[in-house]
Amino acid sequence: MNTRMNTQTEPISMERTLIILKPDAIQRRLIGRLIQRFEDKGLAVGGIKLMCIPRELAERHYAPHKGKPFYPGLINYITSGPVVVMVLQGERCIEIARTMMGKTFGYEAAPGTIRGDFGASRSFNLIHGSDAPESAKTEIALYFQEKELLDYAPPDRSWVFPANDV
Ligand code: IDP
Ligand code: MG
């Protein structure tokens, strides 16, 4: 592996989160604009793929919601077309991404957030992001093998994530 990857010389123990750009985001051709927001913030893409989520994988991912009234619609929605699944990495990226996504329902999400700027419904809310370190770990493992994830240090990293950030 290229030494610019810094994987041997500079181990990075940054947080990781699973992000899914849902079928409405892909059909509305928002992939570039949504990823751009995270890159602008300083988060890095550690793994990425375009895929259709098989129903059984969707059911595993959304198992915590099984039994809720919106669950059948949620499974239909997330399996209704291609999605972009990615891992974002950077310190506090779980919290940062959730804040950037906005509240669940587009009509409640604050302007400036992804759902606030692009969403207007309860279900079609463009994006999924892990909500805690444990769910991030579980969800990343559902979609990625460890070898598909790359750990690297963007050269401006210490300017985005200072060492002693107290
Ligand atoms: P989150 O995506 O903001 O974490 P959750 O409550 O975990 O929200 O719900 C998972 C997904 O299920 C939401 O993103 C949304 O697509 C869908 N969903 C949640 N609540 C409702 C609802 O009341 N009606 C329709 N869809 C819902
Ligand atoms: Mg959730």
Side-chain angles (χ1 to χ4, degrees):
M1 190 176 281
N2 187 327
T3 52
R4 276 177 180 275
M5 300 292 291
N6 282 337
T7 46
Q8 266 80 48
T9 54
E10 193 182 346
I12 305 166
S13 52
M14 283 197 173
E15 195 170 270
R16 281 175 164 167
T17 189
L18 184 86
I19 297 291
I20 301 177
L21 305 183
K22 293 178 174 179
D24 48 334
I26 278 55
Q27 298 296 333
R28 293 171 61 188
R29 301 176 302 279
L30 292 171
I31 296 172
R33 291 165 76 185
L34 298 186
I35 294 176
Q36 186 70 62
R37 288 182 175 224
F38 294 117
E39 290 197 316
D40 286 348
K41 186 74 172 173
L43 303 182
V45 176
I48 188 164
K49 59 177 88 167
L50 180 71
M51 65 182 287
C52 289
I53 302 180
R55 183 161 284 262
E56 62 167 43
L57 177 55
E59 288 170 353
R60 278 207 280 161
H61 179 155
Y62 283 119
H65 293 300
K66 194 164 186 191
K68 295 181 184 171
F70 62 83
Y71 175 79
L74 173 58
I75 298 299
N76 285 339
Y77 163 47
I78 204 69
T79 59
S80 65
V83 297
V84 168
V85 188
M86 66 185 151
V87 168
L88 291 181
Q89 49 207 29
E91 278 158 33
R92 297 193 185 84
C93 68
I94 297 171
E95 181 186 350
I96 290 172
R98 292 285 294 188
T99 303
M100 292 175 70
M101 288 160 51
K103 290 176 78 172
T104 302
F105 305 145
Y107 57 85
E108 290 180 351
T113 66
I114 290 168
R115 289 162 168 174
D117 286 352
F118 296 103
S121 84
R122 294 169 77 83
S123 49
F124 285 17
N125 59 2
L126 299 136
I127 187 163
H128 166 83
S130 307
D131 62 6
E134 309 75 55
S135 52
K137 203 162 188 271
T138 312
E139 291 173 2
I140 288 169
L142 286 177
Y143 293 93
F144 289 96
Q145 296 180 293
E146 190 56 40
K147 68 181 181 201
E148 295 177 301
L149 301 175
L150 303 183
D151 214 356
Y152 57 97
D156 64 353
R157 176 173 163 247
S158 62
W159 293 99
V160 179
F161 301 110
N164 295 308
D165 199 25
V166 289

